[in-house]
Amino acid sequence: EKHLVLLRDGRTLIGFLRSIDQFANLVLHQTVERIHVGKKYGDIPRGIFVVRGENVVLLGEIDLEKESDTPLQQVSIEEILEEQRLELQSKQESEKLKVQALKERGLSVPRADTLDEY
């Protein structure tokens, strides 16, 4: 059975489920990592993939008959990685502008890497 796995870090894996245990640890075969940017997606082949159960957010079976009925456009790996890089760069720039606007108003936003200290 072909399954989609959404991981805690936001990655999406698609592959054939070969094994699962009581801790939700997974072994996926013929796995691809699917990257979505807007209405486009790209698949990066990953092979056999072992996923620790604590990192699984969602596990679902893919209906093979409806898999091709998608409004998304498949593009090459290079193209989707470039679009992902541009999207990340755009988000970082908008975040910088937001932090700057808050500083001008006398407010501060804690950095994400220091949130664990509290």
Side-chain angles (χ1 to χ4, degrees), residues 30-109:
Q30 295 179 358
T31 308
V32 294
E33 180 179 348
R34 183 160 286 178
I35 298 174
H36 298 272
V37 178
K39 293 278 186 184
K40 298 179 182 178
Y41 74 93
D43 290 339
I44 302 172
R46 297 292 187 196
I48 295 178
F49 217 87
V50 178
V51 181
R52 189 171 165 134
E54 66 184 26
N55 294 315
V56 175
V57 174
L58 177 105
L59 172 66
E61 186 178 340
I62 295 176
D63 187 352
L64 297 175
E65 294 175 4
K66 294 183 180 179
E67 184 179 18
S68 59
D69 287 347
T70 177
L72 302 176
Q73 173 191 3
Q74 185 171 7
V75 295
S76 70
I77 296 170
E78 294 81 16
E79 187 176 340
I80 199 67
L81 289 175
E82 178 64 20
E83 292 209 19
Q84 184 183 39
R85 186 187 66 77
L86 292 173
E87 182 183 51
L88 181 62
Q89 186 178 13
S90 164
K91 283 182 181 179
Q92 287 173 342
E93 288 173 6
S94 67
E95 186 65 27
K96 282 181 186 178
L97 290 174
K98 186 168 110 178
V99 168
Q100 183 180 359
L102 289 171
K103 280 184 181 179
E104 289 172 358
R105 290 170 177 79
L107 302 170
S108 67
V109 177

Side-chain angles (χ1 to χ4, degrees), residues 17 19-27 51-53:
L17 182 65
S19 178
I20 188 168
D21 67 6
Q22 70 269 25
F23 303 108
N25 296 321
L26 309 173
V27 176
V51 181
R52 189 171 165 134

